[in-house]
Amino acid sequence: MAIRVMDLVSGASLNCFHFKNNKGFVKSRDFTIRCSVPLSSHGAATIDLGERPWKVSDARLVLEDGSIWRAKSFGASGTQVGEVVFNTSLTGYQEILTDPSYNGQFVLMTNPHIGNTGVNFDDEEARQCFLAGLVIRSLSISTSNWRCKQTLGDYLIERNIMGIYDVDTRAITRRLREDGSLIGVLSTEKSKSDDELLEMSRSWNIVGVDLISGVSCKSPYEWVDRTDLEWEFKSGGQASETFHVVAYDFGIKSNILRRLASYGCKITVVPSTWAASETLKLEPDGVLFSNGPGDPSAVPYAVETVKQLVGKVPVFGICMGHQLLGQALGGKTFKMKFGHHGGNHPVRNFRNDRVEISAQNHNYAVDPASLPEGVEVTHVNLNDGSCAGLAYPKLKIMSLQYHPEASPGPHDSDSVFGDFIEMMKQEKRNG
């Protein structure tokens, strides 16, 4: 069969196709396709296709290595600079969005499908989102969860957080694994050239920046909320003895406070700049140094506070608190190649010889070789052998480089709060 398509305005022959039937014989049949709009552009009006029914790339992620990644935007618009890190968690993107430890960073999710459970207002770890932006492969076009209150896109718009999708997150992750964390600029502004965005990425640095002061509370407050009964998993009921804990807010996650309250603690949360002398006036049974963002070497005031409290009361450090304790004891911290970010990190607990599946979020680590004699490495990350926990019984110190309040294992590390309680009990007995 032969088909000839004609432009009836210009008279031009546009194309010709030849087909054979199933027996291989060629048959011909002539017919005319009438076009109401001219297909040629010989002085005729062009066709107006109107707005495309699909979203086109309208955002760029420009990395300091010169690579440019075009994507589609969701959430807020504008231009933002930050350090790009990847997170390997399969679930929990809302907890990640509200974790203050991501202040100044773009979080790239390696799980390709994000947004399918929407967001709710019970899983937030802080009063606002502190991360610079969210990078994902595929944005869910619908939500399906019994607790969903809002779509991810609307949630980010309300909180002025930028996001991009339809970008090759696997390729970016491989680049970050090979080259280390990179500074990037995310932009939806067409007026900014690629060279301008590249210059922005190369002129910004996250090392040595105090990121804690921007996420810490401004004045002390009391925390009373426990883990909701429908989510509580600790056996034994409410503790018979109450302990007063002063928690330093370096970017503390709400669930850390909930778990302490569930173990029977009365909690006073204080700002990162709160003087050690003021803490001692409160006569606490113990002090918690919380998680937080950035470089521990950039907050010497916090290290000094830790030094002044160590040995006077039992102390427990988590993540940033762990690093600050390491420095306060005379040890050194260093920036890791691409850090630990995810809910699937295996950690060996040397005290009970068990492996815990942990949630981690940090770009810095303590060098155990730099620590003084008497400090015990209690936990080690099995992926790379880095220090994941410390103890110094003589000075009543314990710390972890990961999040015991998180539930990836699901509850492998929760017992560490019980260890902190026991340390405070022992101090009371000895006092």
Side-chain angles (χ1 to χ4, degrees):
M1 179 174 62
I3 301 177
R4 184 178 300 276
V5 181
M6 302 288 294
D7 183 340
L8 297 182
V9 176
S10 65
S13 176
L14 299 181
N15 213 331
C16 184
F17 302 93
H18 299 279
F19 298 96
K20 292 182 179 181
N21 62 16
N22 58 3
K23 295 182 179 180
F25 296 107
V26 177
K27 292 187 177 182
S28 63
R29 179 180 300 169
D30 294 326
F31 62 92
T32 302
I33 300 176
R34 297 184 178 274
C35 301
S36 60
V37 179
L39 300 180
S40 66
S41 57
H42 298 257
T46 58
I47 301 174
D48 182 12
L49 296 177
E51 184 178 352
R52 294 180 183 178
W54 59 87
K55 188 177 179 68
V56 297
S57 296
D58 62 345
R60 289 165 290 169
L61 174 62
V62 179
L63 300 181
E64 61 177 311
D65 66 357
S67 61
I68 301 172
W69 307 82
R70 305 197 180 275
K72 300 172 184 177
S73 67
F74 72 110
S77 58
T79 299
Q80 181 68 48
V81 62
E83 181 182 40
V84 185
V85 298
F86 62 89
N87 188 298
T88 56
S89 296
L90 298 181
T91 61
Y93 57 80
Q94 188 174 351
E95 289 90 336
I96 292 166
L97 288 170
T98 54
D99 183 349
S101 295
Y102 282 115
N103 187 25
Q105 294 179 322
F106 294 122
V107 180
L108 180 152
M109 301 297 295
T110 59
N111 184 28
H113 197 59
I114 300 294
N116 53 307
T117 57
V119 295
N120 65 81
F121 304 118
D122 297 325
D123 291 347
E124 299 192 330
E125 293 288 358
R127 64 188 183 277
Q128 67 183 82
C129 298
F130 291 101
L131 80 170
L134 183 65
V135 180
I136 62 176
R137 176 65 184 92
S138 177
L139 177 64
S140 178
I141 61 174
S142 62
T143 59
S144 178
N145 185 272
W146 63 278
R147 296 197 300 152
C148 176
K149 300 296 183 184
Q150 196 174 32
T151 66
L152 178 58
D154 290 342
Y155 179 85
L156 293 186
I157 289 174
E158 287 186 1
R159 286 152 183 78
N160 198 33
I161 301 296
M162 297 183 68
I164 58 171
Y165 67 103
D166 268 12
V167 64
D168 192 344
T169 52
R170 187 172 184 176
I172 298 176
T173 299
R174 292 188 65 178
R175 187 176 295 252
L176 296 176
R177 284 183 58 86
E178 293 169 2
D179 301 336
S181 299
L182 296 169
I183 303 300
V185 178
L186 184 57
S187 181
T188 59
E189 298 181 81
K190 295 180 180 179
S191 60
K192 295 187 182 296
S193 68
D194 293 344
D195 289 339
E196 287 179 291
L197 299 180
L198 180 59
E199 178 60 28
M200 287 178 63
S201 70
R202 290 176 174 174
S203 61
W204 190 81
N205 195 354
I206 198 170
V207 178
V209 178
D210 177 5
L211 297 174
I212 287 176
S213 58
V215 301
S216 179
C217 62
K218 305 306 178 186
S219 58
Y221 64 92
E222 302 296 321
W223 180 277
V224 296
D225 293 341
R226 299 186 180 95
T227 301
D228 289 344
L229 290 178
E230 63 179 324
W231 303 111
E232 182 57 68
F233 51 86
K234 181 176 67 70
S235 60
Q238 181 63 43
S240 58
E241 193 173 1
T242 300
F243 296 91
H244 181 204
V245 174
V246 171
Y248 272 82
D249 180 9
F250 300 130
I252 197 165
K253 293 171 66 178
S254 297
N255 212 37
I256 293 175
L257 299 173
R258 293 190 193 101
R259 295 312 298 148
L260 281 173
S262 294
Y263 274 85
C265 294
K266 172 190 173 185
I267 307 164
T268 302
V269 184
V270 299
S272 60
T273 55
W274 191 253
S277 58
E278 294 299 314
T279 294
L280 293 174
K281 288 178 183 178
L282 298 174
E283 299 182 348
D285 297 306
V287 173
L288 172 80
F289 300 117
S290 82
N291 63 292
D295 183 357
S297 299
V299 287
Y301 61 87
V303 177
E304 187 59 33
T305 299
V306 174
K307 284 182 179 179
Q308 294 175 19
L309 290 172
V310 162
K312 295 185 173 71
V313 292
V315 297
F316 179 22
I318 296 177
C319 293
M320 172 61 77
H322 163 85
Q323 297 162 20
L324 294 175
L325 277 167
Q327 288 199 4
L329 291 171
K332 296 179 180 179
T333 57
F334 63 93
K335 194 175 193 298
M336 308 175 82
K337 185 176 181 180
F338 47 78
H340 295 161
H341 311 277
N344 43 18
H345 284 255
V347 169
R348 182 179 177 183
N349 183 336
F350 288 112
R351 290 190 156 183
N352 59 21
D353 203 28
R354 293 182 179 179
V355 173
E356 302 171 7
I357 300 302
S358 68
Q360 304 203 8
N361 175 21
H362 60 102
N363 271 37
Y364 292 82
V366 175
D367 178 7
S370 67
L371 295 169
E373 186 179 350
V375 180
E376 174 190 359
V377 175
T378 57
H379 300 71
V380 64
N381 188 301
L382 293 179
N383 284 339
D384 59 10
S386 60
C387 175
L390 296 173
Y392 198 173
K394 180 180 177 181
L395 295 180
K396 298 163 287 191
I397 291 173
M398 58 181 290
S399 68
L400 292 178
Q401 184 57 88
Y402 55 95
H403 287 273
E405 85 290 346
S407 302
H411 309 305
D412 294 8
S413 307
D414 187 76
S415 61
V416 73
F417 292 105
D419 296 338
F420 185 38
I421 297 296
E422 287 301 317
M423 189 162 61
M424 289 189 287
K425 280 184 180 179
Q426 186 64 40
E427 178 67 10
K428 269 191 173 183
R429 293 191 197 104
N430 295 339

